[in-house]
Amino acid sequence: MKAAFRATLISFAALLPTMASGQEGWSSDGRGTSSWHVSPSPGQCNVSQARNLARRAGIYRTDVVFQDENVVTLRGMTDGGDRREISFANVRGCPEVGFNDVVPGAVDTLGNPLGRKVPR
């Protein structure tokens, strides 16, 4: 019984580093903060990647406002407190395809907030 337990324990100890080094899960940026990362399907951009890229662009506390087979659009806040939308193509690498500053109070006919285009 002890030999079987010991063999099982040794096999788990040998497998633990390989399971912990997987590509998905919590990852640290080395500055005391960490984020959850999930690998997307091959050739696609997922919400986790889009949120990480939006954070790098200075947009925090993001929510998904639109997603389809072509684009992922997030809305969040900048450090200055401005509302901003950012869109990413739903392809490998999540390239940025545009962003809008959201004008407070502006709504379309369905009651959805509108953003105004910001020239680059």
Side-chain angles (χ1 to χ4, degrees):
M1 182 72 162
K2 287 184 181 180
F5 178 73
R6 185 174 179 197
T8 304
L9 186 61
I10 290 172
S11 66
F12 279 129
L15 290 175
L16 187 61
T18 60
M19 291 188 307
S21 66
Q23 295 294 324
E24 298 187 8
W26 289 105
S27 60
S28 176
D29 65 358
R31 295 180 296 185
T33 58
S34 58
S35 59
W36 183 258
H37 176 75
V38 179
S39 297
S41 302
Q44 288 190 341
C45 173
N46 68 2
V47 174
S48 176
Q49 277 184 319
R51 282 194 171 138
N52 287 337
L53 290 170
R55 195 175 305 122
R56 288 183 193 168
I59 303 171
Y60 304 95
R61 296 172 41 194
T62 56
D63 292 318
V64 177
V65 293
F66 183 76
Q67 181 177 12
D68 67 5
E69 65 273 356
N70 298 320
V71 70
V72 176
T73 302
L74 303 173
R75 181 180 296 150
M77 306 275 291
T78 63
D79 284 336
D82 297 326
R83 295 181 194 142
R84 181 163 285 175
E85 284 185 0
I86 189 166
S87 297
F88 299 98
N90 196 7
V91 296
R92 183 173 167 231
C94 291
E96 181 182 334
V97 293
F99 70 93
N100 298 329
D101 282 339
V102 178
V103 179
V107 295
D108 64 9
T109 56
L110 299 174
N112 298 321
L114 292 175
R116 64 179 163 85
K117 299 285 184 194
V118 176
R120 285 197 161 202

